[in-house]
Coordinates of all heavy atoms in Angstrom, one line a residue:
L1 N -1.4 -19.6 -16.7 CA -1.5 -20.3 -15.5 C -0.6 -21.5 -15.4 O 0.1 -21.8 -14.5 CB -3.0 -20.7 -15.2 CG -3.2 -21.7 -14.1 CD1 -2.9 -21.0 -12.7 CD2 -4.6 -22.2 -14.1
V2 N -0.6 -22.3 -16.5 CA 0.2 -23.5 -16.6 C 1.7 -23.2 -16.4 O 2.4 -23.8 -15.6 CB 0.0 -24.2 -17.9 CG1 1.0 -25.4 -18.1 CG2 -1.5 -24.8 -18.0
D3 N 2.1 -22.1 -17.1 CA 3.6 -21.7 -17.0 C 3.9 -21.3 -15.6 O 4.9 -21.7 -15.0 CB 3.9 -20.6 -18.0 CG 3.8 -21.1 -19.4 OD1 3.9 -22.4 -19.6 OD2 3.7 -20.3 -20.4
I4 N 3.1 -20.4 -15.0 CA 3.4 -19.9 -13.7 C 3.3 -21.0 -12.6 O 4.2 -21.1 -11.7 CB 2.4 -18.7 -13.3 CG1 2.7 -17.5 -14.2 CG2 2.5 -18.3 -11.9 CD1 1.6 -16.4 -14.1
H5 N 2.3 -21.8 -12.7 CA 2.2 -22.9 -11.8 C 3.4 -23.8 -11.8 O 4.0 -24.2 -10.8 CB 0.9 -23.7 -12.1 CG 0.7 -25.0 -11.4 ND1 0.8 -26.2 -11.9 CD2 0.5 -25.2 -10.0 CE1 0.5 -27.1 -11.0 NE2 0.4 -26.5 -9.9
K6 N 3.8 -24.2 -13.0 CA 5.0 -25.1 -13.2 C 6.3 -24.4 -12.6 O 7.1 -25.0 -11.9 CB 5.2 -25.4 -14.6 CG 6.3 -26.4 -14.9 CD 6.4 -26.8 -16.4 CE 7.5 -27.8 -16.6 NZ 7.5 -28.2 -18.1
E7 N 6.4 -23.1 -12.9 CA 7.6 -22.3 -12.4 C 7.6 -22.3 -10.9 O 8.7 -22.5 -10.3 CB 7.5 -20.9 -13.0 CG 8.7 -20.0 -12.6 CD 8.5 -18.6 -13.1 OE1 7.8 -18.4 -14.1 OE2 9.1 -17.7 -12.5
W8 N 6.5 -22.1 -10.3 CA 6.4 -22.0 -8.8 C 6.7 -23.3 -8.2 O 7.4 -23.4 -7.1 CB 5.0 -21.5 -8.3 CG 4.9 -20.0 -8.4 CD1 5.3 -19.2 -9.4 CD2 4.2 -19.2 -7.5 NE1 5.0 -17.9 -9.2 CE2 4.2 -17.8 -8.0 CE3 3.5 -19.4 -6.4 CZ2 3.7 -16.8 -7.4 CZ3 2.9 -18.3 -5.7 CH2 3.0 -17.0 -6.2
V9 N 6.2 -24.4 -8.7 CA 6.5 -25.7 -8.2 C 8.0 -26.0 -8.3 O 8.7 -26.5 -7.4 CB 5.7 -26.8 -8.9 CG1 6.2 -28.2 -8.5 CG2 4.2 -26.7 -8.5
Q10 N 8.6 -25.7 -9.5 CA 10.0 -26.0 -9.7 C 10.9 -25.2 -8.8 O 11.9 -25.7 -8.3 CB 10.3 -25.7 -11.2 CG 9.8 -26.7 -12.2 CD 10.1 -26.4 -13.6 OE1 10.3 -25.2 -14.0 NE2 10.1 -27.4 -14.5
E11 N 10.5 -23.9 -8.6 CA 11.3 -23.1 -7.7 C 11.2 -23.6 -6.2 O 12.2 -23.6 -5.5 CB 10.7 -21.6 -7.7 CG 11.4 -20.7 -6.8 CD 12.9 -20.4 -7.2 OE1 13.3 -20.8 -8.3 OE2 13.6 -19.9 -6.3
A12 N 10.1 -24.1 -5.8 CA 10.0 -24.6 -4.4 C 10.8 -25.9 -4.3 O 11.5 -26.1 -3.3 CB 8.5 -25.0 -4.1
L13 N 10.8 -26.7 -5.3 CA 11.7 -27.9 -5.3 C 13.2 -27.6 -5.4 O 14.0 -28.2 -4.7 CB 11.3 -28.8 -6.5 CG 9.9 -29.5 -6.5 CD1 9.6 -30.2 -7.8 CD2 9.8 -30.4 -5.3
R14 N 13.5 -26.6 -6.2 CA 14.9 -26.2 -6.3 C 15.5 -25.6 -5.0 O 16.6 -25.9 -4.6 CB 15.0 -25.1 -7.4 CG 16.5 -24.8 -7.8 CD 16.5 -23.6 -8.8 NE 16.0 -22.4 -8.2 CZ 16.7 -21.6 -7.5 NH1 18.0 -21.9 -7.1 NH2 16.2 -20.4 -7.0
T15 N 14.7 -24.8 -4.3 CA 15.1 -24.2 -3.1 C 14.8 -25.0 -1.9 O 15.1 -24.6 -0.7 CB 14.5 -22.8 -3.0 OG1 13.0 -22.9 -2.9 CG2 14.9 -21.9 -4.1
N16 N 14.2 -26.2 -2.1 CA 13.8 -27.0 -1.0 C 12.8 -26.3 0.0 O 12.8 -26.5 1.2 CB 15.0 -27.6 -0.2 CG 14.7 -28.8 0.6 OD1 13.8 -29.6 0.3 ND2 15.3 -28.9 1.8
D17 N 11.9 -25.5 -0.6 CA 10.9 -24.7 0.2 C 9.7 -25.6 0.4 O 8.7 -25.4 -0.2 CB 10.6 -23.4 -0.5 CG 9.6 -22.6 0.3 OD1 9.5 -22.8 1.5 OD2 9.0 -21.6 -0.3
L18 N 9.9 -26.6 1.2 CA 8.9 -27.7 1.4 C 8.3 -27.8 2.8 O 7.5 -28.7 3.1 CB 9.5 -29.1 1.0 CG 10.1 -29.1 -0.4 CD1 10.8 -30.5 -0.6 CD2 9.0 -28.9 -1.5
G19 N 8.7 -26.9 3.6 CA 8.2 -27.0 5.0 C 6.7 -26.9 5.2 O 6.0 -26.2 4.4
R20 N 6.2 -27.5 6.2 CA 4.8 -27.4 6.5 C 4.5 -26.0 7.1 O 5.3 -25.5 7.9 CB 4.4 -28.5 7.6 CG 4.6 -29.9 7.0 CD 4.1 -30.9 8.1 NE 4.3 -32.3 7.6 CZ 3.6 -32.9 6.8 NH1 2.5 -32.3 6.3 NH2 3.9 -34.2 6.4
N21 N 3.4 -25.5 6.7 CA 2.9 -24.2 7.3 C 1.5 -24.3 7.6 O 0.6 -24.4 6.8 CB 3.1 -23.1 6.2 CG 2.9 -21.7 6.8 OD1 2.2 -21.6 7.8 ND2 3.4 -20.7 6.2
E22 N 1.2 -24.4 8.9 CA -0.1 -24.6 9.4 C -1.1 -23.5 9.1 O -2.3 -23.6 9.3 CB -0.1 -25.0 10.9 CG 0.6 -26.3 11.2 CD 0.5 -26.6 12.7 OE1 0.1 -25.8 13.5 OE2 0.7 -27.8 13.0
A23 N -0.5 -22.4 8.7 CA -1.4 -21.2 8.3 C -2.4 -21.7 7.2 O -3.6 -21.2 7.2 CB -0.6 -20.1 7.8
W24 N -2.0 -22.5 6.3 CA -2.9 -22.9 5.2 C -3.9 -23.9 5.6 O -4.9 -24.1 4.9 CB -2.0 -23.5 4.1 CG -1.0 -22.6 3.5 CD1 0.3 -22.7 3.6 CD2 -1.3 -21.4 2.8 NE1 0.9 -21.6 3.0 CE2 0.0 -20.8 2.5 CE3 -2.5 -20.8 2.3 CZ2 0.1 -19.6 1.7 CZ3 -2.4 -19.6 1.6 CH2 -1.1 -19.0 1.3
S25 N -3.8 -24.6 6.7 CA -4.7 -25.7 7.0 C -5.3 -25.6 8.4 O -6.2 -26.4 8.8 CB -4.0 -27.1 6.9 OG -2.8 -27.1 7.7
K26 N -4.8 -24.7 9.3 CA -5.3 -24.7 10.6 C -5.7 -23.3 11.1 O -5.9 -23.0 12.3 CB -4.2 -25.2 11.6 CG -4.0 -26.7 11.5 CD -3.2 -27.2 12.7 CE -3.1 -28.8 12.6 NZ -2.3 -29.3 13.7
S27 N -5.9 -22.4 10.1 CA -6.4 -21.1 10.4 C -7.8 -20.8 9.9 O -8.3 -21.7 9.1 CB -5.4 -20.0 9.9 OG -5.3 -20.1 8.5
L28 N -8.4 -19.7 10.2 CA -9.7 -19.4 9.7 C -9.6 -18.7 8.3 O -10.5 -18.9 7.5 CB -10.4 -18.5 10.6 CG -11.0 -19.1 11.9 CD1 -11.4 -18.0 12.9 CD2 -12.1 -20.0 11.7
A29 N -8.6 -17.9 8.1 CA -8.4 -17.2 6.8 C -7.0 -16.9 6.6 O -6.2 -16.6 7.5 CB -9.3 -16.0 6.8
V30 N -6.6 -16.8 5.3 CA -5.2 -16.4 4.9 C -5.3 -15.5 3.7 O -6.1 -15.7 2.8 CB -4.4 -17.7 4.5 CG1 -3.0 -17.2 4.0 CG2 -4.2 -18.6 5.6
G31 N -4.6 -14.3 3.8 CA -4.6 -13.4 2.7 C -4.0 -12.1 3.2 O -3.2 -12.0 4.1
S32 N -4.4 -11.0 2.5 CA -4.0 -9.7 2.9 C -4.7 -9.3 4.2 O -5.7 -9.9 4.6 CB -4.4 -8.7 1.8 OG -5.8 -8.6 1.6
E33 N -4.2 -8.2 4.8 CA -4.8 -7.7 6.0 C -6.3 -7.4 5.8 O -7.1 -7.7 6.6 CB -4.0 -6.5 6.6 CG -4.5 -6.1 7.9 CD -3.6 -5.0 8.5 OE1 -2.9 -4.4 7.8 OE2 -3.7 -4.8 9.8
S34 N -6.6 -6.7 4.7 CA -7.9 -6.3 4.4 C -8.9 -7.5 4.2 O -10.0 -7.5 4.7 CB -8.0 -5.4 3.2 OG -7.6 -6.0 2.1
F35 N -8.4 -8.5 3.6 CA -9.2 -9.7 3.4 C -9.4 -10.4 4.7 O -10.6 -10.8 5.0 CB -8.4 -10.7 2.4 CG -9.1 -12.0 2.3 CD1 -10.2 -12.2 1.4 CD2 -8.6 -13.1 3.0 CE1 -10.8 -13.5 1.3 CE2 -9.2 -14.4 2.9 CZ -10.3 -14.5 2.0
V36 N -8.4 -10.6 5.5 CA -8.6 -11.3 6.8 C -9.5 -10.5 7.7 O -10.3 -11.0 8.4 CB -7.2 -11.5 7.4 CG1 -7.3 -12.0 8.8 CG2 -6.4 -12.5 6.6
L37 N -9.4 -9.1 7.7 CA -10.2 -8.3 8.5 C -11.7 -8.4 8.1 O -12.6 -8.5 8.9 CB -9.8 -6.8 8.5 CG -8.6 -6.4 9.3 CD1 -8.1 -5.1 8.9 CD2 -9.0 -6.5 10.8
G38 N -11.9 -8.5 6.7 CA -13.2 -8.6 6.2 C -13.8 -9.9 6.5 O -15.0 -10.0 6.9
T39 N -13.0 -11.0 6.5 CA -13.5 -12.3 6.8 C -13.9 -12.4 8.3 O -14.9 -12.9 8.7 CB -12.4 -13.4 6.5 OG1 -12.1 -13.3 5.1 CG2 -12.9 -14.8 6.8
Q40 N -13.0 -11.8 9.1 CA -13.3 -11.8 10.6 C -14.7 -11.1 10.8 O -15.5 -11.5 11.6 CB -12.2 -11.0 11.3 CG -12.4 -11.0 12.8 CD -11.3 -10.1 13.5 OE1 -11.0 -9.0 13.0 NE2 -10.7 -10.6 14.6
D41 N -14.9 -10.0 10.1 CA -16.2 -9.3 10.3 C -17.4 -10.1 9.8 O -18.4 -10.1 10.5 CB -16.1 -8.0 9.5 CG -17.3 -7.1 9.8 OD1 -17.6 -6.7 10.9 OD2 -18.0 -6.8 8.8

């Protein structure tokens, strides 16, 4: 987990993938289609 977490953060910083995405903070659920459908139900 430590290695993957560090790698993902470094990649986001390297590619400047820092944009805001309101999906993570202003939606009811985020995930696969089956997860979101299940949550909706």
Side-chain angles (χ1 to χ4, degrees):
L1 169 68
V2 172
D3 290 342
I4 292 172
H5 174 246
K6 185 175 182 178
E7 179 183 337
W8 279 38
V9 169
Q10 289 177 334
E11 178 65 12
L13 293 172
R14 185 185 67 81
T15 60
N16 199 34
D17 185 15
L18 304 173
R20 296 184 185 278
N21 188 339
E22 293 186 346
W24 299 111
S25 58
K26 290 192 175 182
S27 59
L28 287 169
V30 177
S32 64
E33 185 175 18
S34 61
F35 173 81
V36 172
L37 282 167
T39 303
Q40 183 186 45
D41 185 59

